[in-house]
Amino acid sequence: MDDKKNRIILIQRILFWALYFFAGFTLYSNKGLLTSSLITFSRIIYPLSIFWLQIRIKKRTNFLPIDSKMTTSQLWFNLLPVIASLLTVIFSLTNAFLYILGKFIDS
């Protein structure tokens, strides 16, 4: 049972990373379909989000390590990478889906 669960988790991660790398490929290789400011933001943060997500997955820690003893600067230091990475994931995947949708409509 545990081996089957590990295989499912592995397959899910491979599918997620394949989709995310395809989204990055379309983000950098093609003209962006979103507004230019969102595309520029995503192109800047995309490589950082890959490293941040991989570190969070590997350590298996909370995505938002918030504690009541944190100072304001520590809180922002933990929140900004999370917010930027999540926005980049949303923008790059949306751009990839719009690209795929455009290819289906054109053909």
Side-chain angles (χ1 to χ4, degrees):
M1 181 69 177
D2 196 36
D3 189 39
K4 185 177 181 180
K5 184 179 176 183
N6 287 339
R7 280 192 223 154
I8 292 173
I9 290 172
L10 179 66
I11 291 171
Q12 288 174 345
R13 284 188 183 176
I14 288 172
L15 289 175
F16 171 77
W17 284 113
L19 179 63
Y20 196 54
F21 285 136
F22 173 74
F25 178 75
T26 58
L27 185 68
Y28 284 105
S29 65
N30 300 316
K31 181 182 175 190
L33 301 171
L34 300 174
T35 62
S36 64
S37 60
L38 294 179
I39 295 297
T40 304
F41 172 80
S42 298
R43 285 180 179 167
I44 293 170
I45 304 295
Y46 180 82
L48 300 172
S49 69
I50 290 174
F51 294 122
W52 183 84
L53 286 170
Q54 189 61 32
I55 288 169
R56 292 294 177 173
I57 289 171
K58 191 171 184 176
K59 285 185 177 180
R60 296 182 186 192
T61 60
N62 293 335
F63 275 7
L64 291 171
I66 299 175
D67 189 4
S68 62
K69 300 172 188 171
M70 297 175 107
T71 64
T72 304
S73 60
Q74 289 173 330
L75 181 65
W76 280 112
F77 183 75
N78 285 325
L79 282 179
L80 287 178
V82 173
I83 293 169
S85 294
L86 289 177
L87 287 175
T88 302
V89 168
I90 291 168
F91 296 153
S92 62
L93 290 177
T94 302
N95 188 53
F97 287 133
L98 290 175
Y99 174 76
I100 292 170
L101 187 63
K103 289 295 181 182
F104 281 136
I105 291 174
D106 288 341
S107 55

